[in-house]
Amino acid sequence: MRRFELIAPCHFGMEAVLKREITDLGYDVSETADGRVTFLGDEEALCRANVFLRTAERVLIKVGRFQAGTFEELFQGTRALPWEEYIPRDGKFWIAKAASVKSKLFSPSDIQSIMKKAMVERMKEHYGLERFPESGEAFPVRVFLLKDEVTVGLDTTGESLHKRGYRKLTAKAPIAENLAAAMILLTPWHSGRILVDPFCGSGTIPIEAAMMAAHMAPGMKRGFTARNWPHVVGERLWRDTLEEAGELVDLSVETDIQGYDADDNMVSIARENARLAGVEKLIHFQRRDVAQLSHPKKYGFLITNPPYGERLEDKEALPALYRTIGDRFRCLDSWSLYLITSYEQAERDIGRKADKNRKIYNGMMKTYYYQFQGPKPPRRGGAHEG
């Protein structure tokens, strides 16, 4: 099989979680950088990464890397890459995104334009064409510039991997599915433990937890750009990967996953999204204000994405809201609280310093993932469970 260097971008701050996921899939990580993890694999790895990775944004084939401090160097470096190995003569190709950090070349539109021209020149030489019909399949390209080093990747995913296909209806400020999954993976929660999201909105955190509990691959119900590239990855490998994913699903697992929201409409939306995901029987949704938060059992997990207060009138309500979260948390004997927010006074108003605090960029917004860890539950025989 053909070997690739594959690049998986992710949310800034979640690289370690994604690295662990890739290693668990059985692939060797070759590099970890801010916002992305690079690993080695074949065509099967390309399929499996797209279908199974919960925290990645997408999967790119690394076409090449070179230094460029001028637009001429960018042109020549791009032209030297083996585009004909991936893009057929009728392929539709373009630079879908260019990102530049601490580099002399920083204009995304100029980078995109010059690289497209360089790709055309390379393809003209190879195919002997003056004009390209671009009537065939899509081949989007993504480029990262860091300190004048250019990394070029061919996007095998298409629409971001956070779009699992189940969330047809959303809340006002929904959390991305892959960020919700990463939040859960950063906790010791597993399907035998209680999980409650008191601000569930459209249900993303409970749904991602239920999918994990049922061993349901996040990419089972969506398409991928590279599935239309039979000369790169055969259809049989996609079918085999999806068959593997289907065989792993276990909807008979017993769970205690709950989602609460103060808005009846949001509860209805969450239930519908869970149904579309195929995990509605694993989650209990109900209308409940955070002030009414309680649970009779011990050793549970609160994993949540409460309001950040983007609007001025919302900001004024944040201290009281976070004080309520703290009050209810203190009443949940032996529970743990994992909370993501951009509100910088969260610890003060909750009334406790977090055991861990991880900085995560949710898009361009700096957020904090506060982790208030409760005790481990006792095991039978006096040992402790993780």
Side-chain angles (χ1 to χ4, degrees), residues 240-354:
D240 288 350
T241 301
L242 290 168
E243 188 177 322
E244 176 193 359
E247 288 171 354
L248 291 171
V249 176
D250 177 13
L251 290 171
S252 69
V253 64
E254 289 190 16
T255 59
D256 190 347
I257 300 171
Q258 302 179 35
Y260 307 149
D261 202 278
D263 184 340
D264 257 330
N265 185 49
M266 290 316 310
V267 173
S268 298
I269 286 172
R271 284 185 181 131
E272 176 61 9
N273 287 337
R275 187 191 67 78
L276 292 169
V279 294
E280 71 274 21
K281 292 180 181 175
L282 302 181
I283 310 169
H284 173 69
F285 289 108
Q286 70 178 86
R287 187 183 71 76
R288 185 187 285 196
D289 191 275
V290 68
Q292 301 169 314
L293 177 61
S294 64
H295 201 288
K297 296 180 183 175
K298 293 189 173 190
Y299 305 109
F301 288 79
L302 294 174
I303 305 179
T304 194
N305 173 44
Y308 298 175
E310 272 100 87
R311 295 180 307 183
L312 185 60
E313 61 268 33
D314 294 335
K315 263 192 172 59
E316 292 168 359
L318 285 186
L321 175 67
Y322 281 78
R323 280 197 296 272
T324 302
I325 293 171
D327 289 343
R328 299 320 304 154
F329 176 45
R330 279 186 290 278
C331 292
L332 287 165
D333 181 32
S334 72
W335 279 53
S336 300
L337 168 63
Y338 294 83
L339 176 150
I340 190 168
T341 183
S342 64
Y343 179 48
E344 299 199 352
Q345 303 302 323
E347 288 174 302
R348 180 199 69 189
D349 292 333
I350 287 170
R352 175 177 158 184
K353 185 167 174 58

Side-chain angles (χ1 to χ4, degrees), residues 133-167:
E134 299 204 46
S135 57
E137 297 300 337
F139 292 84
V141 175
R142 292 184 168 244
V143 58
F144 314 96
L145 281 77
L146 175 63
K147 296 178 182 176
D148 300 332
E149 184 177 69
V150 184
T151 303
V152 185
L154 190 61
D155 182 6
T156 72
T157 302
E159 202 168 37
S160 172
L161 286 175
H162 81 264
K163 297 196 174 177
R164 321 293 205 207
Y166 67 74
R167 199 165 72 180

Side-chain angles (χ1 to χ4, degrees), residues 108-122:
S109 58
D110 289 338
I111 291 165
Q112 289 167 304
S113 173
I114 285 162
M115 289 185 71
K116 168 76 177 195
K117 288 175 185 172
M119 290 173 71
V120 168
E121 287 303 308
R122 171 79 182 209

Side-chain angles (χ1 to χ4, degrees), residues 18-157:
L18 176 55
K19 182 179 177 181
R20 189 173 74 221
E21 272 202 281
I22 291 166
T23 303
D24 287 348
L25 273 182
Y27 304 115
D28 293 328
V29 169
S30 56
E31 183 184 0
T32 303
D34 285 346
R36 63 185 191 270
V37 179
T38 304
F39 62 104
L40 308 173
D42 53 16
E43 293 109 307
E44 183 182 68
L46 188 156
C47 298
R48 294 183 76 236
N50 272 298
V51 171
F52 286 104
L53 290 179
R54 298 184 189 278
T55 61
E57 287 283 334
R58 58 189 68 250
V59 179
L60 313 175
I61 296 172
K62 182 175 166 184
V63 182
R65 180 184 283 175
F66 56 88
Q67 292 290 130
T70 67
F71 283 121
E72 177 62 22
E73 288 173 341
L74 180 67
F75 181 91
Q76 295 301 338
T78 305
R79 185 177 179 176
L81 298 176
W83 295 108
E84 66 281 355
E85 290 182 14
Y86 305 101
I87 305 173
R89 63 173 56 229
D90 68 342
K92 180 183 179 183
F93 55 96
W94 74 103
I95 310 301
K97 185 173 182 183
S100 177
V101 178
K102 298 177 183 175
S103 293
K104 296 183 186 75
L105 307 179
F106 54 84
S107 164
S109 58
D110 289 338
I111 291 165
Q112 289 167 304
S113 173
I114 285 162
M115 289 185 71
K116 168 76 177 195
K117 288 175 185 172
M119 290 173 71
V120 168
E121 287 303 308
R122 171 79 182 209
M123 304 273 280
K124 278 165 68 173
E125 290 168 14
H126 182 79
Y127 288 117
L129 295 174
E130 278 303 308
R131 284 183 169 276
F132 289 91
E134 299 204 46
S135 57
E137 297 300 337
F139 292 84
V141 175
R142 292 184 168 244
V143 58
F144 314 96
L145 281 77
L146 175 63
K147 296 178 182 176
D148 300 332
E149 184 177 69
V150 184
T151 303
V152 185
L154 190 61
D155 182 6
T156 72
T157 302

